[in-house]
Amino acid sequence: MAIDSAAPHTALITSDIVLFGLLAATLGLIFWLSSGPTPFWKKFFTWVPALLLCYFVPAFYNTVGLIDGEYNSLYNPIASRVLLPAALVLLTLSIDLKGILKLGPKLLFVFVAGTVGVVLGAIVSFQIMEWVHPPAVAGDTWKGMAALAGSWIGGGANMVAIREVYGVDATLFGQFAVVDVAMASLLMATLLFLANRATQIDLRSGADTAAIDEMKARIAAYEAANARIPTLTDLMVIIAVAFGFVGLAHAIAGPLAAWFAQFEWAARFSLDSSFVWVVLISTAAGLLLSFTPARKLENAGASRIGTVCLYFLIACIGMQMDFMKLFDRLELIAIGAIWMTVHVLVIWGAARLVKAPMFYVGVGSMGNIGAAASAPVIAAAFHPSLAPVGVLLGTVGYATGTLIAYFVGQILRLMAGQ
């Protein structure tokens, strides 16, 4: 929210510049500690994801009165209107559709089944909780579920994008962030456990693993041939592409939203919102760039810069949270548990149908739930050279997560009677 000069400021820090420095320093410290400089911190971050601290530490600042997360201009317009669309451009331009197709139809089938499982899981969990405990899905809960669908199909950028599209309350968003981390961490732990037993599982199921061996050799050769240390020119071009398209998206979005505003039905689908068009145009721009030589910017770290933008945005969302109210609705964990169960059942059934190896189940599932941030971890657990497979599937989620989650939100909106 932009600064309201008439609003009272009771926080210790009221300068946006000082607040910016505090958030930047906080993120830097979190990620430095997560690198494991000491055995204590290495063990600590084994159990506590860095992502969760990026929400909670700024929320703590806000709760104790160090900052006022509501009355500042960091979140809007800087983080949500500039850094988010920039992240979407950079995270989607690296997608390699040809490479993904070479992974084989079975892997793609299992991955898509995982996406279908997330969509069905949202609908099933909402309906079950409406029968069992209606208050759990009352009010704006559907908005938080739509944001969670964005995370579980694409990743953090998609979750934040849907949060903006549907105007999810910061506290509700934080509560679903807890559900996100809890369920995703449990799934990852389970998949890491199964990765160590993949050979036995594949033997019992009769899965064909020949394609995986060929995949290992091809990916290793590509990585060796294309990775490079970014130059200053690389970084400047990455910045130019990201923020150049952000500017273009905003220039187009305003008139486009104004044109749709003349139709009554447009408001129902949020098509009269200029921000919705900024998100859609930024994602489309990244996808179009993936078919051009601009995709090679990923070899210089385009997605890493996009992730930096994303984490600053996450910190800005966190500073708006009311930390004391974050755990007021533990029934949301039940929604997440039912939702995740449906996802697992669907993807496991799809894998058994085509006799896919356990690797496909692991990377297909986490390619949805964890996207490019976590899928490589699961892939590498099967074999280090397979980590880029997780990245490839994760980028598909980045490209499609916002759109699919948007329609999931529309379905849940109808189910909620709104």
Side-chain angles (χ1 to χ4, degrees), residues 141-219:
T141 300
W142 67 270
K143 294 182 179 181
M145 292 181 68
L148 183 57
S151 178
W152 284 359
I153 296 172
N158 306 85
M159 184 178 190
V160 175
I162 293 299
R163 189 256 182 181
E164 285 300 305
V165 168
Y166 285 124
V168 184
D169 174 75
T171 299
L172 179 63
F173 184 83
Q175 291 167 339
F176 271 102
V178 173
V179 176
D180 181 12
V181 172
M183 294 296 107
S185 298
L186 180 61
L187 177 64
M188 175 173 281
T190 303
L191 291 174
L192 288 172
F193 175 81
L194 294 176
N196 292 328
R197 292 155 182 79
T199 302
Q200 300 93 312
I201 295 173
D202 291 339
L203 285 174
R204 285 199 299 268
S205 65
D208 180 11
T209 60
I212 298 178
D213 296 329
E214 189 273 334
M215 192 185 305
K216 293 176 185 177
R218 185 175 67 247
I219 290 174

Side-chain angles (χ1 to χ4, degrees), residues 12 27 104 129 152 156 161 164 184 200 209 236 254 267 288 341 372 413:
L12 181 62
L27 291 175
M129 292 305 292
W152 284 359
E164 285 300 305
Q200 300 93 312
T209 60
M236 292 303 294
L288 290 175
T341 300
R413 185 179 193 174

Side-chain angles (χ1 to χ4, degrees), residues 31 45 54 56 62 104 107 120 124 130 156 231 249 255 348 351 354 364 367 409:
F31 278 90
F45 281 96
C54 292
F56 280 0
N62 187 47
L107 176 56
L120 289 178
V124 171
E130 191 172 45
T231 64
W348 183 262
V354 298

Side-chain angles (χ1 to χ4, degrees), residues 51-185:
L51 174 64
L52 196 59
L53 290 184
C54 292
Y55 287 115
F56 280 0
V57 174
F60 175 77
Y61 294 158
N62 187 47
T63 302
V64 300
L66 180 61
I67 66 173
D68 188 332
E70 183 178 2
Y71 295 106
N72 64 79
S73 58
L74 291 190
Y75 177 73
N76 184 9
I78 296 173
S80 63
R81 268 55 181 177
V82 179
L83 297 184
L84 172 59
L88 292 173
V89 172
L90 295 178
L91 291 171
T92 54
L93 70 78
S94 62
I95 189 169
D96 180 8
L97 291 179
K98 291 182 180 179
I100 292 170
L101 293 176
K102 289 180 181 178
L103 298 180
K106 286 186 179 180
L107 176 56
L108 294 177
F109 176 76
V110 173
F111 173 76
V112 171
T115 304
V116 172
V118 172
V119 174
L120 289 178
I123 297 170
V124 171
S125 60
F126 187 97
Q127 187 61 66
I128 289 178
M129 292 305 292
E130 191 172 45
W131 288 335
V132 176
H133 186 55
V137 292
D140 289 340
T141 300
W142 67 270
K143 294 182 179 181
M145 292 181 68
L148 183 57
S151 178
W152 284 359
I153 296 172
N158 306 85
M159 184 178 190
V160 175
I162 293 299
R163 189 256 182 181
E164 285 300 305
V165 168
Y166 285 124
V168 184
D169 174 75
T171 299
L172 179 63
F173 184 83
Q175 291 167 339
F176 271 102
V178 173
V179 176
D180 181 12
V181 172
M183 294 296 107
S185 298

